[in-house]
Amino acid sequence: MIYLNPSLLACNFFELEKNLDILKEKGVKYLHLDVMDGNFVPNISFGPGVIKQIRKKYPEFILDCHLMVDKPENIIDSILDAGADIITFHPEATFHPHRIIQTVHSHGKKCGLALNPSTSLECCKYILDDLDIILIMSVNPGFGGQSFIESQHLKLREARNMLDNYNSDAILEVDGGVKLKNVEEVINSGADLIVSGSDVFNENIESQIDMYHEIFKKFN
Ligand code: DX5
Ligand code: ZN
């Protein structure tokens, strides 16, 4: 199944509730929450406090927390306490990726690795059994509204092959520069969880979601 995973980063925060209500009405299941520390990436977004409030008001969303932070081990507990369902983090940000995965699993939550455009898939290979998600970054992390880096189609295809070869049912997530105009190509490359920020949270949010869902029908 292909799912839309709107990235809150692009939302007008003065209209947060209105926009989240629209997602809910449209049957969107996932919500992508980008946590940035101004260190691992040159930007700061929001953290556990905001996630907790969203969790409380919208228990139905699967909260997919993408941690773009150094030493994610320092913040994992508070992100889990806030109500995350999925945590993805960047392997470059910690000495012990596998230990973090174990910690997240010990709380009964899902865990994934997020790979920067230049990061090799190899870092997933030996821990594939423990991964619920591989997130392919199709932009350099830190900002919304960037252009899709075309070389990441190759990584998506290789990731899809790797998952198939190892009989893994991990989700293949793609994040950055995904829009209505390229989403079919991204799905054809193997992605099944589609993050989109600036192309969803604009003045036509309802019709944008409808158009994404219409495209997904061809695959689901
Ligand atoms: C970038 C974030 C993305 C971002 C995507 O660092 O991880 O989730 O919000 O935004 P768009 O879809 O606008 O590229
Ligand atoms: Zn993200």
Side-chain angles (χ1 to χ4, degrees), residues 7 9 32-34 36 66 68 88 135 137 173 175-176 195:
S7 167
L9 199 62
H32 185 80
L33 301 171
D34 291 300
M36 303 179 181
H66 176 196
M68 285 160 277
T88 60
L135 188 166
M137 287 302 302
E173 183 173 10
D175 182 9
V195 177

Side-chain angles (χ1 to χ4, degrees), residues 7-10 32 34 36 41 66 68 137 139-147 175-179 195-199:
S7 167
L8 200 72
L9 199 62
H32 185 80
D34 291 300
M36 303 179 181
V41 289
H66 176 196
M68 285 160 277
M137 287 302 302
V139 298
N140 285 299
F143 302 94
Q146 303 180 79
S147 298
D175 182 9
V178 178
K179 301 186 186 306
V195 177
S196 181
S198 48
D199 201 44

Side-chain angles (χ1 to χ4, degrees), residues 73-93:
E73 56 269 34
N74 292 342
I75 200 177
I76 293 281
D77 283 348
S78 52
I79 298 285
L80 288 166
D81 283 348
D85 296 297
I86 300 170
I87 287 187
T88 60
F89 64 95
H90 288 253
E92 301 88 348

Side-chain angles (χ1 to χ4, degrees), residues 30-120:
Y30 286 84
L31 191 59
H32 185 80
L33 301 171
D34 291 300
V35 177
M36 303 179 181
D37 67 350
N39 207 1
F40 184 73
V41 289
N43 197 3
I44 291 177
S45 56
F46 48 79
V50 170
I51 295 170
K52 195 172 196 165
Q53 291 181 50
I54 293 174
R55 170 82 299 157
K56 202 170 162 199
K57 186 144 174 48
Y58 297 94
E60 51 279 283
F61 289 133
I62 299 171
L63 298 184
D64 171 34
C65 299
H66 176 196
L67 306 187
M68 285 160 277
V69 304
D70 261 339
K71 297 206 183 322
E73 56 269 34
N74 292 342
I75 200 177
I76 293 281
D77 283 348
S78 52
I79 298 285
L80 288 166
D81 283 348
D85 296 297
I86 300 170
I87 287 187
T88 60
F89 64 95
H90 288 253
E92 301 88 348
T94 178
F95 289 122
H96 299 293
H98 190 253
R99 182 176 291 153
I100 293 181
I101 296 166
Q102 288 175 316
T103 303
V104 173
H105 284 165
S106 72
H107 286 80
K109 303 299 177 186
K110 293 196 164 148
C111 196
L113 284 186
L115 307 186
N116 281 339
S118 65
T119 301
S120 169

Side-chain angles (χ1 to χ4, degrees), residues 111-134:
C111 196
L113 284 186
L115 307 186
N116 281 339
S118 65
T119 301
S120 169
L121 274 175
E122 281 287 305
C123 63
C124 299
K125 188 171 162 188
Y126 303 102
I127 55 171
L128 211 50
D129 281 350
D130 296 308
L131 282 178
D132 303 296
I133 289 188
I134 296 177

